[in-house]
Amino acid sequence: MKSRAILHLDMDAFFPAVEVLDHPDLRGQPIIVGGSCNRGVVSSASYEARRFGVHSAQPMRTARRLCPDGIFLPVRMSRYREVSRKIFKIFKRFTPLVEPLSIDEAFLDVTASQRLFGGPEDIAKKTKEAIFIGTGLTVSAGVAPSKFVAKIASDMDKPDGLTIVTPDKVRAFLDPLPIKKMWGVGEKTQRALHRLNVRSFRDLSLVSVELLERQFGQQGVKLHSLSMGIDDREVVPTRVQKSLGSEATFSEDIVEIQEAKKQLLLLAHRLAHRMRKEKTSGRTITLKVKYADFVQITRSRKNAEATDDGAAIYSTACSLLERTDTGKRPVRLLGISLSHLSQPGPGEQISLLSEPEESQKRRCLNQAVDSLVDKFGDRSIQPAALINP
């Protein structure tokens, strides 16, 4: 059986790279993109900032301590999505088998593309070149006969790297790697493996499957296979998105419930715009509240019909807020998400004739708002309650 050719493509420090793209004077600076002030977390850091120990998911307070002269910027998700769409269009020039992992990385199965574009290494080079020409950004690539090995390979030579692992070199590539490089192995599993004297991929491959199954269940069996590069998972082009959300961490704790509702209004309309942009709607609305002491709770409601309307999302979120201690306990973060998503089928069109008059008015209003936001930005039009006198 012919070996598969899988690419894992991972954009280099994507959020900071887009900021440099838009503001060239930032090039070479330690850029940290994330939550406001000291309250949020780092979403992404440039390689210059990473030299100071800054990394994603780190508290912004820690990042400021490690890199006091860093350039701290807010997340501009709409801009990053815009660039991401261009990148994924380039991916699809080389194969229809593109499986997104996130906004800035994907697997590509190019097994059947070699007749048109050359071998896997050639395809990886052509893809990297096309992305740089099309966007001005760099991407690191891993090429291997499986998704697991390709993902590890893409991380070996960042930024702008290219690592090729041919089928006959898989074990030689994996054997010396530390076990922490294994995708999906967290600190707890690492400690448990260390107790079995497992420090490298080779160590893990030499442990009996029976022992690993006793210690870790089916996960142990899977880890044993992965340690030898055995991964038969297909590249799946259509990943079903399960939820969409919007959240904010506040520079000062919210203590009044009316202020919390004002913030929910902003989040609801941002989320609704994104839902309509992605041509989806959701039935289940979930409110997330994180208190000042970092205790986090969620409250959900499943509605009879799916919605992409900001007013409807906001109304439900406010009723869910009443079931929390907001107003009694300081709040540092609020978030709203929609799940049980639905999308119109191919060629399906929503008929205004079957809608109540009020729904027609809401739909037309939302279309007008979306048009203005797309043209002038999300601050160009917003509910009156959000406009400071």
Side-chain angles (χ1 to χ4, degrees):
M1 182 179 176
K2 185 178 178 181
S3 177
R4 292 184 301 165
I6 308 297
L7 274 60
H8 179 255
L9 294 161
D10 190 8
M11 301 302 296
D12 298 317
F14 182 54
F15 292 3
V18 174
E19 296 298 335
V20 171
L21 194 66
D22 292 348
H23 307 283
D25 56 306
L26 295 177
R27 189 173 303 280
Q29 299 295 317
I31 301 169
I32 297 99
V33 177
S36 61
C37 299
N38 294 320
R39 305 304 301 274
V41 297
V42 176
S43 295
S44 183
S46 68
Y47 291 97
E48 292 82 3
R50 295 181 194 188
R51 297 191 189 111
F52 291 88
V54 179
H55 57 79
S56 61
Q58 185 178 68
M60 290 292 280
R61 187 185 302 275
T62 303
R64 288 181 182 277
R65 177 173 55 79
L66 293 172
C67 189
D69 295 326
I71 309 297
F72 290 82
L73 299 173
V75 175
R76 295 192 298 149
M77 192 56 70
S78 60
R79 173 60 174 150
Y80 307 148
R81 288 197 190 98
E82 178 186 351
V83 178
S84 176
R85 284 191 288 271
K86 293 180 181 178
I87 291 165
F88 276 83
K89 283 182 180 179
I90 294 171
F91 290 164
K92 290 175 182 177
R93 290 182 198 170
F94 297 93
T95 174
L97 299 178
V98 177
E99 179 180 338
L101 290 182
S102 67
I103 193 173
D104 63 344
E105 65 173 317
F107 287 117
L108 280 66
D109 188 332
V110 297
T111 308
S113 303
Q114 297 177 63
R115 186 172 295 178
L116 283 174
F117 300 108
E121 182 174 354
D122 293 327
I123 296 174
K125 288 178 178 178
K126 289 174 182 176
T127 306
K128 285 166 59 66
E129 182 182 12
I131 288 172
F132 185 75
I133 292 172
T135 68
L137 302 177
T138 62
V139 60
S140 292
V143 183
S146 71
K147 292 167 73 171
F148 175 71
V149 179
K151 183 166 174 66
I152 293 176
S154 70
D155 195 45
M156 299 301 290
D157 189 27
K158 275 185 162 287
D160 199 19
L162 173 58
T163 301
I164 312 292
V165 184
T166 56
D168 59 319
K169 299 294 185 183
V170 168
R171 290 300 300 272
F173 172 72
L174 292 179
D175 278 355
L177 295 179
I179 202 66
K180 67 179 181 181
K181 285 277 189 181
M182 182 167 283
W183 188 20
V185 171
E187 291 184 7
K188 185 177 178 181
T189 305
Q190 284 182 48
R191 289 194 296 268
L193 289 170
H194 287 170
R195 289 194 290 271
L196 297 175
N197 292 318
V198 172
R199 306 276 172 180
S200 68
F201 278 53
R202 183 176 186 276
D203 293 339
L204 181 55
S205 70
L206 295 174
V207 178
S208 73
V209 178
E210 291 77 19
L211 175 58
L212 290 171
E213 186 172 17
R214 284 199 301 272
Q215 291 283 330
F216 304 101
Q218 281 302 304
Q219 184 196 13
V221 178
K222 183 179 179 181
L223 292 178
H224 188 266
S225 295
L226 293 177
S227 71
M228 296 182 288
I230 300 171
D231 176 19
D232 296 327
R233 291 173 303 154
E234 302 286 337
V235 171
V236 182
T238 52
R239 290 169 59 90
V240 177
Q241 193 164 27
K242 295 184 178 179
S243 66
L244 285 173
S246 179
E247 64 180 44
T249 301
F250 309 110
S251 57
E252 295 182 6
D253 294 332
I254 289 178
V255 294
E256 299 289 342
I257 194 166
Q258 289 305 317
E259 177 59 25
K261 289 182 177 180
K262 184 175 178 179
Q263 296 299 330
L264 286 182
L265 182 61
L266 176 61
L267 292 173
H269 281 275
R270 280 182 179 170
L271 177 56
H273 175 70
R274 184 181 170 195
M275 300 286 288
R276 295 190 294 268
K277 188 96 172 171
E278 301 197 14
K279 294 181 172 58
T280 187
S281 55
R283 290 179 62 193
T284 299
I285 298 174
T286 299
L287 171 72
K288 177 164 73 172
V289 178
K290 185 182 287 186
Y291 299 112
D293 58 5
F294 288 87
V295 172
Q296 180 174 298
I297 58 100
T298 59
R299 299 289 183 266
S300 298
R301 176 179 297 169
K302 188 173 183 179
N303 297 317
E305 296 182 359
T307 186
D308 61 6
D309 179 65
I313 296 169
Y314 172 66
S315 176
T316 300
C318 283
S319 65
L320 294 172
L321 189 71
E322 301 289 348
R323 293 164 47 194
T324 73
D325 288 335
T326 304
K328 301 174 185 176
R329 298 170 63 180
V331 170
R332 64 178 282 117
L333 176 148
L334 288 171
I336 307 174
S337 63
L338 264 72
S339 55
H340 292 101
L341 303 182
S342 60
Q343 293 179 319
E348 183 180 341
Q349 199 166 15
I350 299 169
S351 171
L352 292 177
L353 296 177
S354 62
E355 283 188 310
E357 183 179 353
E358 184 61 31
S359 296
Q360 291 182 34
K361 289 180 180 178
R362 293 297 310 176
R363 185 175 299 282
C364 291
L365 175 61
N366 288 335
Q367 289 174 351
V369 169
D370 291 343
S371 177
L372 288 170
V373 169
D374 289 340
K375 190 170 184 179
F376 300 108
D378 60 6
R379 293 187 179 276
S380 59
I381 183 169
Q382 50 190 333
L386 298 175
I387 299 174
N388 292 322

